[in-house]
Amino acid sequence: QVQLVQSGAEVKKPGASVKVSCKPSGYTFTDYYIHWVRQAPGQGLEWMGWINPNNGATKYAQKFQGRVTVTRDKFFRTAYMEVSRLRSDDTAVYYCARDGPDRGDLRFYFDFWGQGTLVTVSS
Amino acid sequence: EIVLTQSPATLSLSPGERATLSCRASQSVSSYLAWYQQKPGQAPRLLIYDASKRATGTPARFSGSGSGADFTLTISSLEPEDAAVYYCQQRDNWPPFGGGTKVEIK
């Protein structure tokens, strides 16, 4: 069965960086894009960017360009999302999600999700 | 920028009743619209994509309709486990998600 397992909760100070990992299983890692979506406490969903695990191509929401970097390691079949220059309003649950439901094409729907990683930014 | 406006903000209904959730786009998104269900403390779950196609595992009581700029998610007969926030999402522009509709079961 398809699963995406994310790294654990983080507490960071303003100005620091955080890197969250996402390890899918149950399908071929390079066959589906991976997206990152965040959700601030009590708020809605905010799409951040995607990566093509096959060739490493990325695209980011303009709001996050220059401050968010999404990468992948094909050998370890893991995707990563790093946010730099953290601010208090970056406090959120960060999700990775698989693009779906079709293999290969970018459909920009999110058919399987990780469990979420809470990142708290506080001095 | 395409803005998705969901209504109502909150819907409070009894088990067995029909729930109708609306998602209106500020411009046409063709049929490229999805619906997600999110329960407290959980990740969202894809219910419907391409406006009307059920994702794997979505119960038949959930149906999606619409095209262009007006979309509807219908839950034909509410179950207690349907209490959640429902988000619509388009794929053409940022921001992709609507603000959500909270469904409460009386």
Side-chain angles (χ1 to χ4, degrees), chain A residues 20-123:
Chain A
V20 179
S21 69
C22 170
K23 186 169 178 61
S25 60
Y27 70 93
T28 301
F29 177 65
T30 50
D31 280 353
Y32 295 83
Y33 290 67
I34 295 284
H35 297 265
W36 290 89
V37 176
R38 77 177 186 180
Q39 186 170 38
Q43 302 300 308
L45 302 168
E46 189 172 33
W47 177 78
M48 302 176 70
W50 57 248
I51 186 165
N52 180 336
N54 189 41
N55 60 18
T58 56
K59 182 171 182 177
Y60 303 101
Q62 191 167 10
K63 171 179 179 175
F64 298 107
Q65 277 180 347
R67 209 163 64 88
V68 170
T69 305
V70 178
T71 56
R72 92 311 187 201
D73 185 317
K74 287 172 72 172
F75 181 80
F76 289 107
R77 297 192 297 275
T78 301
Y80 303 92
M81 189 277 306
E82 183 171 22
V83 184
S84 60
R85 304 190 301 279
L86 285 164
R87 307 186 294 249
S88 58
D89 62 358
D90 290 318
T91 294
V93 175
Y94 289 77
Y95 294 101
C96 63
R98 193 185 81 164
D99 187 90
D102 304 313
R103 183 171 61 93
D105 297 333
L106 178 64
R107 293 302 314 276
F108 216 99
Y109 299 128
F110 318 120
D111 64 348
F112 289 93
W113 295 64
Q115 82 276 20
T117 296
L118 175 62
V119 175
T120 303
V121 183
S122 174
S123 54

Side-chain angles (χ1 to χ4, degrees), chain B residues 2-17:
Chain B
I2 297 177
V3 178
L4 295 180
T5 302
Q6 293 189 240
S7 62
T10 304
L11 197 54
S12 185
L13 295 167
S14 299
E17 288 193 298

